């Protein structure tokens, strides 16, 4: 099993809309900032969480770049179909 946050696997990310990807990226970056702060102050209990969040951010960026290059497409939503 890949290291990362549950619900942020490659298949899950490809099912997200662009706005949802941006939102998840923002949340992951905030979490990484907080984890780094905890690490610097000696309060971090789970060091592997840093690595997992970094990988989540990388997965999100990869999915966004694939859509930009036309390798994959964003899922069609109800609003877009109408």
């Amino acid at each position: 099993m890949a290291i990362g946050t549950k619900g942020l696997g490659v298949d899950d990310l490809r099912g997200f809309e662009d706005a949802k990807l941006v939102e998840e990226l923002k949340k992951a970056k905030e979490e990484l900032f907080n984890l780094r702060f905890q690490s610097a102050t000696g309060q971090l209990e789970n060091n592997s969480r840093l690595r997992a969040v970094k990988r989540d951010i990388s997965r999100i960026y990869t999915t966004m770049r694939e859509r930009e290059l036309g390798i994959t497409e964003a899922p069609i939503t109800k609003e877009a179909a109408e």
Side-chain angles (χ1 to χ4, degrees):
M1 173 128 175
I3 297 175
T5 304
K6 205 171 210 176
L8 287 182
V10 176
D11 294 331
D12 298 325
L13 289 174
R14 288 186 179 149
F16 289 168
E17 299 175 11
D18 292 336
K20 176 81 170 163
L21 279 176
V22 172
E23 179 184 326
E24 289 296 327
L25 179 63
K26 183 179 177 185
K27 288 193 311 190
K29 284 187 170 187
E30 287 177 13
E31 184 178 359
L32 182 61
F33 174 79
N34 290 333
L35 289 171
R36 284 181 172 162
F37 197 86
Q38 288 176 6
S39 178
T41 59
Q43 297 174 351
L44 185 62
E45 295 177 9
N46 187 0
N47 291 328
S48 64
R49 187 71 188 134
L50 277 168
R51 185 176 187 186
V53 173
K54 285 181 186 179
R55 286 188 178 192
D56 290 340
I57 291 171
S58 296
R59 281 191 197 101
I60 294 169
Y61 274 132
T62 300
T63 304
M64 293 170 79
R65 182 66 177 159
E66 285 175 348
R67 289 182 185 176
E68 184 179 313
L69 295 174
I71 296 170
T72 60
E73 295 182 7
I76 298 173
T77 59
K78 293 179 195 175
E79 298 87 30
E82 294 176 353

